[in-house]
Amino acid sequence: MEEELKCPVCGSLFREPIILPCSHNVCLPCARTIAVQTPESEHAAGGGGGDHADKLSLHSETDSGYGSYTPSLKSPNGVRVLPLVPAPPGAAAAPRGAGPASSSLTCPQCHRSASLDQRGLRGFQRNRLLEAIVQRYQQGRAAAAAAAKCQLCDRSPPEPAAVLCEQCEVLYCAACQLRCHPARGPFAKHRLAPPPAHPGAPGGGGDGGGGKGAGGGRKLPTCAEHDLENYSMYCVSCRSPVCYQCLEEGKHSKHDVKALGAMWKQHKAQLSQALNGVSDKAKEAKEFLVQLKNLLQQIQENGLDYEACLVAQCDALVDALTRQKAKLLTKVTKEREHKLKVVWDQINHCTLKLRQSTGLMEYCLEVIKENDPSGFLQISDALIKRVQVSQEQWVKGALEPKVSAEFDLTLDSEPLLQSIHQLDFIQMKCRVPPVPLLQLEKCCTRNNSVTLAWRMPPLSHNPVEGYILELDDGDGGQFREVYVGKETLCTIDGLHFNSTYNARVKAFNSSGVGPYSKTVILQTSDVAWFTFDPSSAHRDIVLSNDNQTATCNSYDDRVVLGTAAFSKGVHYWELHVDRYDNHPDPAFGIARINVVKDMMLGKDDKAWAMYVDNNRSWFMHCNSHTNRTEGGVSKGATVGVLLDLNKHNLTFYINGQQQGPPAFENIEGVFMPALSLNRNVQVTLHTGLEVPQSVKQPKLPNN
């Protein structure tokens, strides 16, 4: 709050603050500093100083008092100001607190210029409320200053703080200030302020200090123009409090005025309402700061994690290179040993042959030296052959090395070096999407269908191109994809009744697929609720009663199916005969979706049915009639259909009496409730029924 209580010119707490026409405040002494005279040319243009001042008066009904003058010098607080221009020779001195007749004042905050009338600065209203708040703040800070301690004292306890350096943000007592913070050198530019108010310090509000406007026994403010009159009304046009004499004599006589107390309460209410909005924003800002601080911690933790990951990845590369180096060295060693072995074998072999040849040569030379012809001829043939054989052993290539001293191993390390030099972080434009959040309040089941809804978490900046919804088989099996798209709401129909399904969803974008959401468990209905299906019924079928009652326009049998499809579990429904004329043969049963609909149910291979007249019933499939049983229908009768897909059979009831054994067995697949009838019959469907726990003994069929 302290910044709100400082003058924009001097930078200190307000002293005798006045309100400028732009609603900003400035100290009265500072206002004297920044007031400037209008150039003489403007005097001439105005036709006289007094008339010009009247035209530019702040209290004129036709002039806002704003100008466009901007001063050119700077005050110590950085606000541009100009000193007063000296009055011309011979001019009368202006009274204290009043500027020249043609002076103007520029707001140091918004730089709007306002002209002063003959009253000078006294024409501006005194901000008594701000003055009282400043006085209370000073008293509270003075009380808290006694509790503020020097932060550099060696004494115990430390001395009370005398000043606070706003640049160093350190509290000094008088002795420590002289010793540690002299007013010279770099410290000369530092700003010393009184010790700050303690958060728990009292707000003050006594009679001491700066003027008659403070304290609990504060005098009522008097009118600036009529010193003996108190403010009692508020001029809405001028937006200022006025007294009764102002209304009778002054320029406010024709303005819109209201009671001061009423306007005070109204403006307080408006300010409180505006503060509520600021308070909400401040609360959001605090939450945002907490979020940013958490973000700092996350950045720190993620940075450490990434550093550790980088070190681990580089160490893995070094380990892999070391292992490959060992493998390559092993290859070089094997190649060297192989070459050495070949050369040594060749040396040994050549040495042996050379020794043998040398011995033979020496022996032959000794034989040649002998002079015994007969003895020489006895062995000469054998020696000649031995010499020839020895010569033939030195075949071509025998005196050439079998291996080279060079190693035919060239390590191509250039691609690896290039890869190492290019090793860098992949700067992806986006990452994979985060985990979607399932909206459990919107997830539900109805009959054998489930509806799931999800959304992305807040503050998620990674783009999402679509979602993948997965569902298991309702029996704890593997998940399978049931939806891929951009929607965040999906309904899956045609599931098993009385089954528990697990569902999960994940998001994807061009960077890849994100992680799965949490798994939600959904339970389908125990019993089936359905109606007749008008979209698949024969065009002669007439439905009413919200598609629960069916009849026909034709004398021929026509087929209508139910809206539910069954492939698992046990299901039971009933059909009540509302009208039965001229002994028709309605048929009740189940059928596949592509059943023929312009003939009796059961005449093709897509339906399994029981057709019945007023006396007997028959089972029919593929136009084959079996199991004729006594017991027909009439108006008011009830036909029950029990489909047990766990045992793969179909059973019929008339008025609670089972019609023979199960009609059909070993039936598998997906089936829909079905009915065929003509115009002489009308039936009403009843669903959502529990499977009968006890049935009457079945009637035996007539053979």
Side-chain angles (χ1 to χ4, degrees):
M1 183 181 73
E2 185 173 350
E3 293 300 321
E4 295 288 334
L5 305 181
K6 288 183 178 180
C7 174
V9 177
C10 63
S12 302
L13 295 177
F14 281 109
R15 295 170 296 162
E16 302 179 76
I18 59 175
I19 306 175
L20 301 181
C22 57
S23 299
H24 292 130
N25 299 279
V26 69
C27 295
L28 182 59
C30 297
R32 298 192 184 102
T33 303
I34 63 176
V36 296
Q37 287 183 344
T38 305
E40 290 298 328
S41 59
E42 295 184 13
H43 283 275
D51 295 339
H52 181 68
D54 290 340
K55 292 178 181 178
L56 296 179
S57 171
L58 292 172
H59 301 281
S60 170
E61 296 184 15
T62 59
D63 192 350
S64 66
Y66 292 151
S68 59
Y69 176 76
T70 303
S72 59
L73 299 181
K74 281 191 176 181
S75 74
N77 198 41
V79 180
R80 293 184 176 274
V81 300
L82 265 183
L84 287 173
V85 178
R96 188 178 186 274
S102 57
S103 295
S104 64
L105 183 67
T106 300
C107 174
Q109 289 183 277
C110 65
H111 304 295
R112 290 183 176 179
S113 181
S115 303
L116 277 67
D117 60 7
Q118 65 274 10
R119 295 175 299 170
L121 295 176
R122 290 182 301 171
F124 295 109
Q125 296 182 14
R126 185 86 165 266
N127 195 336
R128 298 176 305 278
L129 191 64
L130 177 59
E131 193 172 0
I133 294 174
V134 169
Q135 184 175 357
R136 289 201 304 270
Y137 180 77
Q138 288 176 326
Q139 291 173 349
R141 191 169 65 175
K149 302 296 182 181
C150 176
Q151 294 176 299
L152 297 179
C153 267
D154 296 331
R155 303 177 182 85
S156 182
E159 293 291 327
V163 293
L164 167 69
C165 177
E166 295 183 349
Q167 282 71 31
C168 302
E169 296 183 353
V170 176
L171 290 166
Y172 298 95
C173 65
C176 290
Q177 178 194 352
L178 294 175
R179 185 177 72 254
C180 303
H181 200 287
R184 62 180 180 275
F187 296 110
K189 297 181 179 180
H190 286 202
R191 182 167 182 161
L192 300 178
H198 191 273
D207 291 330
K212 62 183 180 180
R218 189 164 52 202
K219 287 178 59 180
L220 291 176
T222 58
C223 179
E225 298 184 5
H226 309 95
D227 295 338
L228 300 179
E229 296 290 336
N230 294 329
Y231 287 118
S232 58
M233 303 297 289
Y234 180 81
C235 179
V236 179
S237 303
C238 299
R239 297 183 179 180
S240 64
V242 295
C243 65
Y244 279 111
Q245 195 168 347
C246 291
L247 299 179
E248 294 177 357
E249 302 175 359
K251 64 178 182 179
H252 304 282
S253 58
K254 297 181 180 181
H255 290 181
D256 181 18
V257 295
K258 293 186 178 181
L260 187 66
M263 291 302 296
W264 174 55
K265 292 181 181 179
Q266 178 182 342
H267 281 214
K268 267 195 172 183
Q270 291 176 356
L271 180 59
S272 299
Q273 185 175 2
L275 282 177
N276 289 336
V278 176
S279 176
D280 293 340
K281 294 299 180 183
K283 183 179 179 182
E284 294 178 5
K286 290 181 180 179
E287 295 175 352
F288 181 63
L289 286 175
V290 172
Q291 179 184 343
L292 290 179
K293 291 180 180 179
N294 293 335
L295 185 61
L296 286 175
Q297 183 177 356
Q298 292 177 3
I299 291 174
Q300 184 71 14
E301 295 174 354
N302 291 342
L304 295 175
D305 291 342
Y306 273 98
E307 289 177 3
C309 181
L310 176 62
V311 171
Q313 287 178 313
C314 292
D315 290 344
L317 292 176
V318 173
D319 292 342
L321 187 60
T322 303
R323 290 193 298 270
Q324 191 65 22
K325 172 186 172 183
K327 290 181 181 179
L328 295 176
L329 287 174
T330 301
K331 288 184 178 181
V332 174
T333 302
K334 289 182 178 180
E335 183 68 15
R336 182 189 62 195
E337 292 176 351
H338 171 70
K339 286 179 176 287
L340 291 174
K341 183 178 183 300
V342 170
V343 172
W344 276 113
D345 289 345
Q346 199 170 9
I347 289 174
N348 293 333
H349 181 68
C350 186
T351 301
L352 178 62
K353 289 174 63 178
L354 180 61
R355 186 170 59 247
Q356 292 174 350
S357 299
T358 303
L360 180 60
M361 289 172 57
E362 292 176 352
Y363 175 68
C364 289
L365 290 175
E366 291 298 325
V367 170
I368 292 174
K369 292 178 182 179
E370 293 294 329
N371 295 323
D372 184 4
S374 60
F376 179 81
L377 292 174
Q378 284 180 340
I379 62 172
S380 60
D381 291 335
L383 286 176
I384 292 171
K385 289 182 179 180
R386 286 184 61 189
V387 171
Q388 290 176 347
V389 171
S390 178
Q391 184 180 1
E392 291 174 356
Q393 289 180 353
W394 300 99
V395 296
K396 185 178 181 181
L399 297 179
E400 295 179 359
K402 293 183 178 181
V403 294
S404 170
E406 302 297 329
F407 282 77
D408 297 331
L409 298 175
T410 302
L411 182 62
D412 186 11
S413 60
E414 187 61 30
L416 180 58
L417 288 174
Q418 187 175 0
S419 298
I420 291 175
H421 292 151
Q422 294 177 349
L423 186 63
D424 200 353
F425 297 104
I426 300 176
Q427 300 294 338
M428 302 180 66
K429 292 184 179 179
C430 64
R431 297 182 178 180
V432 296
V435 180
L437 302 178
L438 287 168
Q439 296 181 276
L440 300 181
E441 67 278 5
K442 296 183 179 180
C443 298
C444 61
T445 61
R446 183 181 182 277
N447 240 6
N448 61 335
S449 65
V450 297
T451 299
L452 295 109
W454 59 89
R455 62 178 177 86
M456 295 307 293
L459 303 177
S460 174
H461 304 293
N462 298 333
V464 176
E465 296 180 5
Y467 303 92
I468 300 174
L469 177 62
E470 296 183 356
L471 203 70
D472 69 358
D473 60 357
D475 199 19
Q478 294 183 347
F479 283 90
R480 67 188 190 280
E481 293 184 3
V482 295
Y483 171 75
V484 178
K486 297 182 179 181
E487 299 298 329
T488 57
L489 182 70
C490 180
T491 298
I492 303 100
D493 299 316
L495 303 178
H496 298 310
F497 286 90
N498 194 22
S499 298
T500 301
Y501 287 89
N502 295 292
R504 62 188 184 184
V505 65
K506 58 184 177 181
F508 65 87
N509 59 18
S510 57
S511 299
V513 180
Y516 284 106
S517 68
K518 293 182 178 180
T519 301
V520 62
I521 301 175
L522 299 166
Q523 174 74 39
T524 55
S525 177
D526 293 341
V527 294
W529 297 85
F530 58 92
T531 63
F532 292 120
D533 184 11
S535 62
S536 63
H538 191 278
R539 61 179 178 273
D540 292 336
I541 293 293
V542 178
L543 300 179
S544 60
N545 189 24
D546 294 331
N547 297 329
Q548 293 178 342
T549 300
T551 186
C552 183
N553 287 330
S554 174
Y555 285 106
D556 296 324
D557 291 307
R558 301 293 186 242
V559 174
V560 58
L561 302 178
T563 55
F566 306 117
S567 60
K568 178 183 175 182
V570 182
H571 309 279
Y572 178 75
W573 63 94
E574 292 181 346
L575 299 108
H576 184 268
V577 180
D578 301 327
R579 179 168 53 82
Y580 186 80
D581 302 328
N582 301 323
H583 310 299
D585 299 329
F588 310 89
I590 59 175
R592 301 195 188 278
I593 187 64
N594 56 345
V595 64
V596 178
K597 298 184 177 68
D598 58 358
M599 61 183 180
M600 179 182 288
L601 193 68
K603 286 194 174 184
D604 63 356
D605 61 347
K606 303 297 190 298
W608 293 258
M610 175 189 73
Y611 75 93
V612 58
D613 61 14
N614 61 326
N615 292 318
R616 294 172 296 277
S617 65
W618 293 263
F619 299 157
M620 186 164 62
H621 174 63
C622 291
N623 205 23
S624 174
H625 307 252
T626 60
N627 295 75
R628 188 184 71 174
T629 306
E630 295 298 326
V633 297
S634 60
K635 181 180 179 181
T638 299
V639 176
V641 181
L642 177 61
L643 175 62
D644 189 344
L645 291 173
N646 295 336
K647 297 180 180 179
H648 306 287
N649 60 38
L650 181 64
T651 306
F652 296 98
Y653 301 89
I654 297 179
N655 295 327
Q657 178 73 46
Q658 181 176 337
Q659 296 298 104
F664 303 100
E665 296 183 346
N666 301 322
I667 55 176
E668 294 183 358
V670 180
F671 305 97
M672 307 179 75
L675 165 71
S676 69
L677 73 172
N678 63 15
R679 65 182 304 166
N680 292 319
V681 184
Q682 177 176 301
V683 298
T684 297
L685 177 65
H686 297 277
T687 61
L689 305 177
E690 296 288 342
V691 176
Q693 298 298 320
S694 60
V695 297
K696 300 178 182 179
Q697 291 296 325
K699 291 184 178 181
L700 297 178
N702 296 326
N703 295 327

